[in-house]
Structure formats: structure tokens, C-alpha cells
């Protein structure tokens, strides 16, 4: 083996969804970032952005690499589809399974590799020093020449601002936003790309808090399901001191029969640590800013940002559990 995968190129967050001049836009996928190498002797390596080897965790991708030429490397995203949307939670736990367990999960919830960059090709050698436009053309040629299909997918790319704006409407299937890449840019470690994460203002019911009742640290939010039961949908990021005190003045300790009585909540997505919470009477409605990353049940995967209390709304006015970020009427 005379070459290794490079350190991944990363993206810095930006506030504007407008495609900059001289750049291309790609959809931002809700999955596991992965670099993939296939060597001339047939060996396959799949590595996370942090250097974790994931080859054994994704046997379906390793097997599908037979369709690739030897001496090739790609950058992309591992995703799982559940019906018509991406299901990030189906990727959780893959790295901790035995080879037999990984094979079982792969059979039930097969992953796809969405390729968005070509770092090496047998006919060209190392491509990282070439501009994005040249690497993109070589990636498209690889897919065409090899007739690559599922589990391989070619990430869309556009220089048309109108098309990029249209992609933001894909949030209903789990797309997180846009990534911007300069056409003349080489592939190098560091945050040379730019990313815009789509967010929406929406509502949820205050069901519990962490921290003190007088000055909450974070808020646990819920929405009513079809049967009228309050289901957990996510947690806010840390509240400002002023926001915490203002909310604390409105909270009432939950009476008996709170719908979340006896429940436990994780301190973070995928974390085994249990969060200590205080249940409150679920009558207050909050407006929050949330991104589009949801699990298949409709829960937010990332902390949402607290905006304000909506005193004009009742719990029944909030979007139903599982309906995503659609704001309440009025």
C-alpha cells in the first residue's frame, strides 16, 4: 500500500443560503461522513472523518466496492433510507456491533454511499491537488463508465442559484441544507468549504426542564400525538440567563399524572448518560428555531434554539407529533 486516505476537508458554517459566485452547491446529507479507498489488490478501507475505521461496520458497502476500479478513493456520506426519508438513527450503533451483527443490520437497513468527491483514480493518480471542477468531472465520469448504481449514489451538484434554493425544500426527506465549494478549490484538510444549515421557526409544548425550576438550563419539549398523548420531540440548547429566569417565573411543578412520569431522557443523542430533569405542568407553548434533522418518528436530532413563549397558543395548537417543523396556524 503506497498511499493513504487524506485528512477530510471540512466546512465552516455560514448564515446565508445564497450560492456564492464561482462556487458549486451540493445538498447536505444527514448521515455519517466517510472516506472510502479501494486498493489495487482489492482491499477496501472505510474511514470516518475522525479517523475511525468503519469497514467492518458496513459490509454491504465493502462488498459493493467490487464494482469500483482498483486504486480509487472517494469522499462521501453514508446514509440509510427508511421509506421516503433519511433515517440517521439506523446508523447508530453500527460501529459497536460484531461482524455478524453488522451483517444483520446491513440486511435489514442497508446503507448507501453518496459520493461527492473523487480523491484518487487509477487513471489519474492523486486528484486532491486539482480544482473541485476537475475532480467533479472525474467523479461523474467514474459513475458513467462503471454504471454505478445502489448502494452507490452520485451527490447532485449545481452552479445554478435557483436549483440550490430548490434543494432547500428537500428538508422533508431529511436533507440538512447546502454545502458550497469553490470551483477552483483544491481538496485540503481544514474548513475550506462552507455550509448552510436550514432552520425553521416552529412550536412545541414545554414538558420538562433541566437545571433549577426557577432558572432552567434547558427545556424538554413535546407534541401531542393522534391520541392526544404528549410525546417527547427534543431539547433546547442552553438558555440564556434572562430567558431561563423569564421562563422559570411561568413554570409550575407537574401535578400527579404527568404523561412523562417514570420516563428517562438521554443527556445527548446516542449517549447512555441519563439527564436529570424536573417535570412541569405541560401547558406552556414555546417557539423554537430547529434544523431539519429528524429521526423517523419526528424527533429533532440536534438541540433546538429557544426563541420565546407563545402565550397566544395552547398545546392543541402546536403541530402534531411527527409533523416536523411545520409551524402552527396563526
Amino acid at each position: 500500500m503506497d498511499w493513504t486516505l487524506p485528512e477530510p476537508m471540512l466546512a465552516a458554517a455560514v448564515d446565508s443560503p445564497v450560492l456564492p459566485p464561482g462556487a458549486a452547491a451540493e445538498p447536505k446529507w444527514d448521515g455519517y461522513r466517510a472516506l472510502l479507498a479501494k486498493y489495487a489488490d482489492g482491499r477496501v478501507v472505510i474511514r470516518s472523518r475522525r479517523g475511525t475505521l468503519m469497514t467492518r461496520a458496513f459490509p454491504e458497502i465493502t462488498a459493493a466496492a467490487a464494482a469500483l476500479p482498483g486504486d480509487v478513493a472517494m469522499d462521501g456520506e453514508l446514509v440509510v433510507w427508511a421509506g421516503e426519508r433519511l433515517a440517521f438513527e439506523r446508523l447508530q450503533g453500527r460501529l459497536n456491533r460484531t461482524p455478524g451483527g453488522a451483517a444483520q443490520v446491513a440486511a435489514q437497513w442497508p446503507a448507501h454511499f453518496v459520493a461527492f468527491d473523487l480523491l484518487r483514480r487509477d487513471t489519474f493518480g492523486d486528484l486532491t491537488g486539482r480544482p473541485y471542477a476537475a475532480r467533479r468531472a472525474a467523479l461523474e465520469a467514474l459513475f458513467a463508465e462503471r454504471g454505478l448504481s445502489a448502494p452507490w449514489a452520485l451527490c447532485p451538484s449545481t452552479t445554478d442559484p435557483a436549483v440550490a434554493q430548490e434543494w432547500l425544500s428537500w428538508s422533508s426527506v431529511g436533507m440538512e441544507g447546502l454545502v458550497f465549494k469553490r470551483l477552483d478549490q483544491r481538496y485540503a484538510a481544514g474548513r475550506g468549504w462552507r455550509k448552510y444549515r436550514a432552520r425553521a421557526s416552529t412550536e412545541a409544548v414545554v414538558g420538562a426542564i433541566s437545571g433549577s425550576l426557577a432558572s432552567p438550563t434547558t427545556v424538554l419539549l413535546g407534541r401531542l400525538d393522534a391520541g392526544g398523548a404528549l410525546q417527547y420531540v427534543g431539547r433546547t440548547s442552553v438558555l440564556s440567563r434572562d430567558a431561563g429566569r423569564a421562563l422559570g417565573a411561568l413554570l409550575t411543578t407537574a401535578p400527579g399524572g404527568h404523561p412523562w412520569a417514570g420516563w428517562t431522557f438521554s443527556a445527548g443523542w446516542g449517549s447512555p448518560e441519563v439527564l436529570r430533569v424536573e417535570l412541569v405542568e405541560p401547558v406552556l407553548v414555546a417557539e423554537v428555531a430547529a434544523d431539519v434533522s429528524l429521526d423517523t418518528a419526528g424527533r429533532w436530532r440536534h438541540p433546538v434554539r429557544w426563541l420565546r413563549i407563545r402565550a397566544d397558543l395552547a398545546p392543541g395548537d402546536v403541530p402534531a407529533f411527527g409533523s416536523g417543523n411545520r409551524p402552527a396556524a396563526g
Side-chain angles (χ1 to χ4, degrees), residues 192-203:
W193 295 333
R194 299 292 180 263
K195 61 182 177 182
Y196 170 78
R197 187 183 293 277
R199 303 188 73 88
S201 173
T202 188
E203 297 81 21

Side-chain angles (χ1 to χ4, degrees), residues 45-197:
V45 173
I46 305 173
R47 197 189 74 192
S48 76
R49 57 172 284 183
R50 295 183 177 179
T52 301
L53 289 178
M54 303 191 294
T55 315
R56 291 187 177 182
F58 293 93
E60 70 275 43
I61 303 299
T62 302
L68 301 176
D71 203 23
V72 67
M74 295 189 293
D75 194 354
E77 198 89 8
L78 290 162
V79 302
V80 170
W81 288 93
E84 297 182 349
R85 68 168 292 112
L86 296 175
F88 181 87
E89 66 272 20
R90 300 301 179 187
L91 293 167
Q92 294 290 98
R94 278 267 199 145
L95 302 184
N96 300 322
R97 293 182 177 270
T98 63
Q104 290 180 348
V105 175
Q108 183 178 10
W109 297 103
H112 293 71
F113 186 91
V114 183
F116 53 67
D117 217 319
L118 187 62
L119 311 181
R120 188 177 185 88
R121 176 75 204 267
D122 52 340
T123 52
F124 301 115
D126 186 354
L127 294 171
T128 57
R130 300 195 183 189
Y132 168 85
R135 300 196 310 276
R136 176 70 194 188
L139 179 63
E140 293 176 358
L142 173 64
F143 268 73
E145 292 168 11
R146 290 281 168 161
L148 297 179
S149 58
W152 307 107
L154 178 63
C155 182
S157 174
T158 187
T159 56
D160 186 337
V163 173
Q165 286 295 312
E166 181 183 353
W167 286 346
L168 291 175
S169 67
W170 291 7
S171 61
S172 61
V173 300
M175 297 300 180
E176 294 186 313
L178 298 172
V179 178
F180 303 128
K181 302 177 179 181
R182 293 202 322 269
L183 298 175
D184 62 355
Q185 198 168 24
R186 298 179 178 182
Y187 188 98
R191 297 189 180 276
W193 295 333
R194 299 292 180 263
K195 61 182 177 182
Y196 170 78
R197 187 183 293 277

Side-chain angles (χ1 to χ4, degrees), residues 267-286:
W269 181 270
S271 170
E273 183 181 351
V274 175
L275 181 71
R276 296 184 63 179
V277 304
E278 180 85 19
L279 300 180
V280 299
E281 189 173 3
V283 294
L284 294 177
V285 172

